[in-house]
Amino acid sequence: MSNATDRAYELGFRTVETEYADRRLPVEGAVPSWLSGALIRNGPGRFEFGGERATHWFDGLAMLRRYGFDDGTVSYTNRFLRTEAYAAADSGHGATEFATGDGSLRRTLQWLRSLGPPEPTDNANVHVAQLGEHFVALTEAPRRIAFDPVTLETRGEFRWRDDVPEHLATAHLTVDPNREETIGYSTVFGLSPTYHVYRIPHGRAARRHVATVPASGPGYVHDCSVTESHVVIVETPLRIAVTKALAPWNGNEGLLDLLEYDETATSRFLVIDRDTETLAATLEAPPFFTFHHVNAYEDGDELVVDLVAFDDDEIVRALTFEALSEGAFATAPDGRFVRYRLRPDEDRVRRSERYDGGMELPTVPKSVRGRRYRYAYAQATDRVGANGLVKLDVERGTATEWWERGVYVEEPRMVRRPDGSAEDDGVVIATALDTRRERSMLLVFDAETLVELARAPLPHAVPFGFHGRYFPDA
């Protein structure tokens, strides 16, 4: 690995010891005065448990990070979620998560042969969402943790009061500003596994069941797409081997050991009609794997689904600490921006690549989610010694990129100017690790040009996180 890559691995997966509260950050450049609100991100902050180190990036202990904006200033708060997982780690017990521990998913699935389900992990380290007046941290286990959006103090567990079943939950609740609701789904195991789609009206904390659709495998599904009239679940051949989880103890450690990629199987697009609340179509395509969707919209009789695609599941294995320490941090496969055009009436799927660079963690402006759009922003990933930022013009098939040697950009978020009219009138904000300064920073870019407007160095290096949202009223 290059020196910058070595430092990125060392700093980006190193436990944080200090929590800061409303720390005013120095600003180099100028943050637009109209930017008011907070970017709240989630991700791991601790990787050691009683003398043992986690084995996968996904297994770190949840730590929230808040970047507050007010009249050109930036403040920083970071705080671990005070959960059962946090207390157990503090007392010397390892986490039971994606790949580390004593078989979290295995224990979760024991409901199939026991009198009742065991309690899954509450280490909600993947994403955040606002449900009515509640701000919650999310993971793929069916437990959500509420927190204060200003102090990040843990408020306790958020529980649904409904009968929507879930053995695995989505950490990617998809916000649809056009129909003023948020879409989510759960996975249920059994002899006939299923996905359950639900909606959460804006301003409410209750959800309502939309549809139940059959699962094959079931698949490991991390994200979904929403159009004006449809929800699209993409089920790849990365399957969860439920029978392996239920077999006599054979050394399974967590979800990672229960994932099997069937290269002979197809990927399936499950299209749910939001109005009739039924499965409208199931379409198949050659196998691929995806974590994240970019956007989707309706184009006449076609559904356009844009996502970040991988040839197979190698990326999942490449994110173990063993693989990362042996060079996978620099050589892990790159995701590609791929467009699928679905014709449900003809049972036809067409695929095309829209950008030949590596990318992940995509986002689009809020105003065009679920609609025809022109611009997408993402982390650019195909260079050694840095991660960049890319702005894609999906109509023209062109891209603008920003790179700086030794800087590793994380997930970007686009924030539109309050009185802006153009789709890209606003800023892009992203956290990044600066390996030269050995600390993280917040970056602010002009959304039209990707010209850097400001950077605000943090007092420490923060481990690489996963996802976050910008809350204008937080």
Side-chain angles (χ1 to χ4, degrees):
M1 289 188 287
S2 69
N3 183 61
T5 305
D6 288 337
R7 295 299 291 148
Y9 172 73
E10 177 186 342
L11 296 168
F13 302 105
R14 186 173 68 184
T15 290
V16 164
E17 302 291 346
T18 305
E19 294 177 318
Y20 293 92
D22 200 28
R23 173 79 170 245
R24 179 82 168 263
L25 299 181
V27 175
E28 304 168 12
V31 176
S33 59
W34 58 261
L35 187 61
S36 177
L39 170 67
I40 301 178
R41 286 182 46 77
N42 201 348
R46 175 177 173 179
F47 301 101
E48 285 77 33
F49 309 94
E52 298 292 329
R53 181 168 168 81
T55 60
H56 199 285
W57 178 30
F58 295 177
D59 287 340
L61 206 59
M63 186 185 77
L64 299 174
R65 308 96 146 119
R66 182 185 190 275
Y67 304 87
F69 302 92
D70 182 26
D71 196 24
T73 66
V74 182
S75 61
Y76 170 67
T77 299
N78 69 301
R79 187 173 178 84
F80 285 95
L81 285 177
R82 268 44 174 195
T83 59
E84 294 169 8
Y86 179 88
D90 236 16
S91 62
H93 297 288
T96 53
E97 312 291 345
F98 188 82
T100 308
D102 60 0
S104 176
L105 183 67
R106 179 186 175 84
R107 293 187 302 110
T108 301
L109 294 178
Q110 286 176 349
W111 68 274
L112 285 172
R113 58 181 184 187
S114 65
L115 296 177
E119 195 76 346
T121 180
D122 64 350
N123 185 32
N125 68 356
V126 179
H127 215 326
V128 294
Q130 183 176 2
L131 306 175
E133 298 179 352
H134 303 273
F135 289 78
V136 297
L138 307 167
T139 186
E140 293 180 323
R143 298 183 71 181
R144 294 107 181 149
I145 305 300
F147 63 89
D148 186 290
V150 177
T151 66
L152 302 186
E153 293 180 358
T154 305
R155 287 181 166 173
E157 187 165 352
F158 174 91
R159 294 181 181 270
W160 300 111
R161 297 178 180 177
D162 57 45
D163 57 358
V164 177
E166 50 184 3
H167 299 134
L168 285 183
T170 179
H172 270 274
L173 295 175
T174 303
V175 179
D176 181 358
N178 304 303
R179 291 183 57 153
E180 296 187 341
E181 63 182 18
T182 294
I183 297 295
Y185 61 90
S186 64
T187 303
V188 173
F189 305 109
L191 296 178
S192 300
T194 50
Y195 306 115
H196 296 261
V197 178
Y198 54 84
R199 59 164 47 104
I200 310 162
H202 282 189
R204 305 227 5 230
R207 63 181 176 177
R208 187 175 71 80
H209 183 266
V210 172
T212 297
V213 297
S216 179
Y220 172 64
V221 181
H222 186 70
D223 198 1
C224 75
S225 280
V226 172
T227 71
E228 182 177 352
S229 301
H230 297 88
V231 177
V232 182
I233 291 177
V234 179
E235 180 188 69
T236 73
L238 185 59
R239 306 290 171 77
I240 302 170
V242 178
T243 54
K244 182 187 292 187
L246 298 176
W249 174 251
N250 57 8
N252 290 337
E253 290 291 323
L255 177 58
L256 181 62
D257 284 324
L258 303 178
L259 296 179
E260 297 179 344
Y261 191 81
D262 184 359
E263 59 185 14
T264 66
T266 61
S267 291
R268 301 199 309 158
F269 293 83
L270 306 175
V271 181
I272 296 101
D273 189 301
R274 298 171 69 178
D275 297 317
T276 64
E277 300 187 344
T278 58
L279 179 63
T282 300
L283 297 92
E284 297 185 349
F288 66 90
F289 174 70
T290 183
F291 277 121
H292 301 115
H293 295 214
V294 181
N295 197 20
Y297 63 92
E298 297 170 15
D299 184 13
D301 293 331
E302 291 186 327
L303 295 179
V304 178
V305 179
D306 294 339
L307 46 79
V308 179
F310 297 85
D311 291 339
D312 52 35
D313 69 330
E314 181 185 348
I315 182 62
V316 180
R317 314 288 169 178
L319 298 178
T320 65
F321 286 143
E322 179 181 7
L324 289 168
S325 65
E326 294 177 353
F329 190 76
T331 62
D334 293 309
R336 304 293 179 184
F337 184 105
V338 175
R339 168 164 291 181
Y340 286 92
R341 285 188 169 271
L342 315 181
R343 285 294 300 262
D345 57 334
E346 297 180 3
D347 194 26
R348 180 163 58 90
V349 178
R350 289 188 295 150
R351 168 181 168 138
S352 62
E353 290 197 15
R354 308 291 291 178
Y355 167 65
D356 59 4
M359 61 173 283
E360 250 296 2
L361 303 170
T363 188
V364 299
K366 181 179 179 180
S367 61
V368 294
R369 292 177 193 162
R371 294 183 173 184
R372 183 184 294 273
Y373 71 112
R374 181 170 180 179
Y375 301 113
Y377 302 86
Q379 174 196 65
T381 61
D382 55 356
R383 291 189 189 177
V384 175
N387 279 344
L389 175 67
V390 59
K391 175 188 179 181
L392 302 174
D393 185 328
V394 301
E395 288 185 359
R396 296 183 178 179
T398 60
T400 302
E401 299 181 356
W402 180 95
W403 297 86
E404 186 172 308
R405 184 179 298 276
V407 172
Y408 289 78
V409 179
E410 298 184 275
E411 176 189 62
R413 304 298 296 182
M414 191 276 180
V415 183
R416 194 171 178 181
R417 188 189 306 270
D419 57 352
S421 57
E423 183 180 323
D424 58 350
D425 186 358
V427 296
V428 176
I429 51 179
T431 51
L433 173 63
D434 186 341
T435 60
R436 297 162 302 175
R437 295 189 180 187
E438 298 190 357
R439 63 177 60 190
S440 299
M441 58 183 173
L442 180 84
L443 297 170
V444 182
F445 301 88
D446 181 278
E448 180 183 1
T449 63
L450 285 199
V451 170
E452 181 184 328
L453 301 177
R455 63 177 59 189
L458 273 60
H460 58 178
V462 180
F464 292 125
F466 300 129
H467 300 293
R469 297 186 192 274
Y470 181 79
F471 299 101
D473 301 320

